[in-house]
Amino acid sequence: MEFADEEAEKMLISFMVFKPEIIPNVYDTVKPSVFFYKTWALVYEKLIDMSNRNAPIDEATVAMEIRGTVSVVDFANVCSLFIGHGDWNFYAEKVKSKFYSRQAMVILKESLAELNESNGADVINKTIERLLDISSTTSSCVTYDMNTLIQGYIQKLDDAISNKKQFTGYASGLSNLDEVIGGIQKEYTVIAARPSLGKTALAEQIALNVSGCMGGEGQRTLFIELEMTPEQLTERAIANISKMSIKRMRTGLLNSAQLGKVMTKMQILAENKNFVPVTCNDRCITDIVSCIRSEVRTKGAKIVFIDHAGLVKPAGKYKSEWEGAKEISHTLQNLQRELNVPIILLSQVTRDVEGKPPTLADIRGSGSFEEDADSIIFVHRDRIKDAQESLVEAELIVAKNRNGQCGTVPVNFHPNEVMFSDREVNTEKKEPA
C-alpha cells in the first residue's frame, strides 16, 4: 500500500509495550482509526484498554491479552524491533502522516469524479471542507458545553462557601506564602534558586507539612530525590519536624530533653506513611513519569516533588541541553494535567544572579520551564558568612502565578535546622523627629 507504513505501526506498538508510561501521550497523538493494518489497530486498542485499567504491561501480559488477535510469532517479531532508545513521536507522526495521505487521496479521487464543467467552485469548497475535517479524527482537542462547565463551577463555589477556607490549595506551612499563592495548587510549579540557598529545604518542608508530619492535610506525598541519599533526606526531615540542629544530631551533643524530643518526632515520622522518599538511579524522565503515574493511580499520591531538573535525563538524545530540558518540562506539564495533582519541580538558576534577586529569564536549562510552569517561586537570600548564624533573612519571590497574584514573601531561614519560618515585617511608618 502506497500510503501505509506497517514498520512504523509495529515500532509504535513496541514502544508502548516496553515503555507503557508513554501510552496516554501516544493516545493524545494517535487514535485507533489512524492505523491502516487491522491487526496492529486491535493491538493498539488493547494496550490503551490495559493502560486505562492500570493493568501491568509487559511482553508476557500483552501476549496473553491479545491471544487470537495476532500470532505469537508476529507479536514476538514486533517486540524484537524495540531499540531501547529513540523517540516514539517519530513513529507516531509517520503513522499519522500516512493516514492523512490516505484520507486526502480518497477525497481527491471522489472530488475528481464529481467534477464537471459547471460545478468547479462547489467541488473546490466541498473538497477544502472535507480536507480540513481530516484532522478532527485524530485531534486530542475537546469542545465543552458552557452550561456544563457553569454547573461544575457552581458546585465548586458552593463547596468553597461551605468550607470558608482562606485558601484553596494544600497548606505550605508558611502562612505568608499561602496568603500570596493561595496554598499549593494542583498545578505545575517550579521552585528555583542558586545551589545551597534552600530550594530543597523549602520543598521538603512543604512536603512534610502536606503529608501531615508538621500539621497539614495528611496527604500521600512523593519526594523524588535525585541528588541526596534517602538517609540525608531523612536526617533533614527529622531536623525539620523536631526543629533541632543537624550538627547536634550528627555529633550527639543532645541533652536528655533534646534527645527525647528528637525520638518523639522520629516516631511520628516513622508512623506517618504519607511522606514517601523516592530515588531513581537512572534519573530518566520516562522512569520518573512511570513512578509518578503508578503512585498517583494505584496508591493515591496527592502531590509530587522532584529534586531537581538539572539531574533529570530526557528520554531522547539531543544535541543541546536546551532541547532536553524542553522535553522534560513538556512531559511534566502534560503529566500534571493528566493526573490533576500538584507537581513541584526544583531547578537551579544561572551563576549570573549570584547575590541578587533572580528573574524568570535566569532559570537554567530552557525557557520551557518559564513558559510551561503555572507558578514559579525563587528562593533568595545572602549566603551565610558566619558559621554561628542561626537565622538569616530571606525572600520567596513569586515571579509567576498564572492563576493568582505575584509578590515577594518575607521569611527567615534557619541554617542549623535547614528550614524556613514566617518573618514579620514592620510596615509602620516612623514619625519624623
Side-chain angles (χ1 to χ4, degrees):
M1 176 67 183
E2 184 180 1
F3 296 123
D5 189 336
E6 187 172 15
E7 193 74 4
E9 293 186 8
K10 290 179 178 179
M11 285 297 298
L12 187 56
I13 294 293
S14 72
F15 267 92
M16 295 168 71
V17 171
F18 290 100
K19 290 190 173 184
E21 68 275 6
I22 70 171
I23 291 178
N25 292 334
V26 174
Y27 186 72
D28 280 346
T29 304
V30 177
K31 298 296 184 284
S33 59
V34 167
F35 281 74
F36 175 77
Y37 295 93
K38 181 73 172 178
T39 297
W40 307 125
L42 292 173
V43 174
Y44 177 85
E45 289 178 330
K46 179 57 68 176
L47 285 166
I48 297 298
D49 175 62
M50 292 175 70
S51 177
N52 290 337
R53 290 188 279 115
N54 292 319
I57 296 177
D58 54 51
E59 189 174 353
T61 55
V62 175
M64 291 291 291
E65 290 269 356
I66 62 174
R67 283 181 302 177
T69 300
V70 60
S71 72
V72 174
V73 173
D74 286 344
F75 182 64
N77 288 336
V78 168
C79 292
S80 69
L81 294 174
F82 183 66
I83 53 180
H85 59 82
D87 188 357
W88 64 266
N89 278 290
F90 173 79
Y91 299 102
E93 289 301 325
K94 285 190 74 173
V95 171
K96 193 161 66 171
S97 179
K98 294 294 184 180
F99 169 80
Y100 285 148
S101 298
R102 292 195 303 273
Q103 293 293 99
M105 180 59 71
V106 170
I107 291 170
L108 292 173
K109 284 182 177 179
E110 291 177 352
S111 298
L112 187 60
E114 295 171 3
L115 187 64
N116 58 48
E117 291 182 355
S118 60
N119 69 348
D122 292 337
V123 170
I124 289 173
N125 290 332
K126 184 179 178 181
T127 301
I128 292 173
E129 184 176 338
R130 293 180 64 191
L131 288 170
L132 291 173
D133 284 342
I134 294 175
S135 62
S136 65
T137 61
T138 61
S139 174
S140 61
C141 297
V142 181
T143 59
Y144 294 92
D145 174 61
M146 199 62 201
N147 182 59
T148 303
L149 294 176
I150 290 295
Q151 293 303 316
Y153 189 77
I154 288 173
Q155 181 62 52
K156 182 177 179 180
L157 185 61
D158 184 58
D159 291 342
I161 293 172
S162 300
N163 296 326
K164 295 189 183 301
K165 291 175 65 177
Q166 290 186 333
F167 51 84
T168 57
Y170 297 129
S172 69
L174 296 167
S175 58
N176 289 350
L177 179 62
D178 288 333
E179 186 175 342
V180 173
I181 64 174
I184 305 301
Q185 303 293 323
K186 293 179 179 179
E187 296 176 340
Y188 172 33
T189 299
V190 172
I191 296 177
R194 289 291 298 144
S196 301
L197 288 188
K199 61 181 179 297
T200 302
L202 175 63
E204 186 176 16
Q205 184 175 338
I206 295 172
L208 288 167
N209 193 71
V210 175
S211 68
C213 295
M214 298 174 68
E217 290 85 352
Q219 302 290 350
R220 186 173 177 85
T221 303
L222 293 189
F223 201 100
I224 301 175
E225 179 54 60
L226 305 178
E227 189 168 37
M228 294 190 299
T229 65
E231 291 75 20
Q232 290 172 320
L233 196 66
T234 301
E235 183 180 59
R236 281 196 176 196
I238 295 168
N240 268 198
I241 65 174
S242 64
K243 295 182 172 58
M244 192 63 61
S245 165
I246 287 181
K247 182 179 179 180
R248 282 184 176 275
M249 294 193 301
R250 285 179 176 174
T251 58
L253 297 174
L254 300 168
N255 59 38
S256 57
Q258 292 170 331
L259 179 59
K261 182 179 181 181
V262 170
M263 294 300 290
T264 299
K265 296 300 183 181
M266 284 172 64
Q267 184 176 355
I268 291 173
L269 191 60
E271 292 176 352
N272 184 300
K273 305 298 183 182
N274 292 322
F275 181 72
V276 185
V278 179
T279 59
C280 185
N281 294 332
D282 193 44
R283 296 176 175 176
C284 183
I285 186 62
T286 52
D287 290 344
I288 292 170
V289 167
S290 179
C291 171
I292 295 171
R293 187 176 279 122
S294 174
E295 285 283 343
V296 171
R297 288 181 171 174
T298 64
K299 298 182 181 179
K302 299 297 183 183
I303 185 170
V304 179
F305 295 80
I306 304 170
D307 182 22
H308 58 82
L311 297 175
V312 180
K313 294 194 298 188
K317 292 186 177 180
Y318 298 95
K319 294 181 180 179
S320 68
E321 178 187 358
W322 181 88
E323 290 177 308
K326 181 178 179 181
E327 182 214 319
I328 291 165
S329 184
H330 287 353
T331 299
L332 293 176
Q333 181 190 42
N334 291 334
L335 184 67
Q336 189 282 315
R337 291 176 177 176
E338 173 197 336
L339 300 178
N340 194 33
V341 299
I343 293 181
I344 295 92
L345 175 69
L346 278 58
S347 175
Q348 294 186 353
V349 296
T350 61
R351 290 189 179 93
D352 298 340
V353 301
E354 190 70 44
K356 61 183 181 181
T359 65
L360 293 175
D362 297 315
I363 298 176
R364 281 189 63 179
S366 171
S368 292
F369 294 127
E370 174 191 344
E371 295 168 4
D372 297 342
D374 296 296
S375 57
I376 296 176
I377 302 171
F378 291 108
V379 179
H380 175 62
R381 65 175 175 84
D382 292 333
R383 292 198 179 275
I384 298 171
K385 298 181 176 64
D386 184 352
Q388 302 304 313
E389 282 190 272
S390 60
L391 185 147
V392 180
E393 290 190 354
E395 295 175 336
L396 304 180
I397 302 171
V398 182
K400 181 180 180 181
N401 190 358
R402 202 186 302 275
N403 299 306
Q405 68 184 96
C406 297
T408 298
V409 178
V411 292
N412 289 319
F413 179 67
H414 305 265
N416 292 332
E417 298 83 11
V418 199
M419 65 178 296
F420 292 85
S421 64
D422 286 309
R423 172 160 58 94
E424 294 290 333
V425 178
N426 187 2
T427 58
E428 292 183 8
K429 293 183 178 179
K430 293 183 179 181
E431 294 293 330

